[in-house]
Amino acid sequence: MAERQITPTAFAGEIGVPPSTIHRIIRGERDPRGATIRKIVAGTAGKVTAAELIAPSQPEAAA
């Protein structure tokens, strides 16, 4: 989005997802679902990859 100088809201409109979804993904509050991942990858012409959107698994804290 920075490269294209568009807002998250504008990008959300381009790819057909709610703006709140993009904002939550950016803030790390939500992991995108498969369909959203595909839309983001397509909307960025592959500059953002599916691997970049999938949160790394967090190791469980030792008790």
Side-chain angles (χ1 to χ4, degrees):
M1 291 179 290
E3 183 178 300
R4 292 182 47 211
Q5 298 182 347
I6 63 169
T7 65
T9 299
F11 180 68
E14 286 181 6
I15 65 170
V17 300
S20 60
T21 297
I22 298 299
H23 287 283
R24 287 181 183 134
I25 292 168
I26 290 169
R27 290 191 303 259
E29 296 172 357
R30 178 178 179 182
D31 291 332
R33 294 183 179 183
T36 303
I37 290 171
R38 287 188 293 277
K39 289 178 181 183
I40 292 170
V41 171
T44 63
K47 290 184 179 184
V48 174
T49 67
E52 292 173 307
L53 295 168
I54 299 171
S57 56
Q58 299 291 323
E60 291 185 26

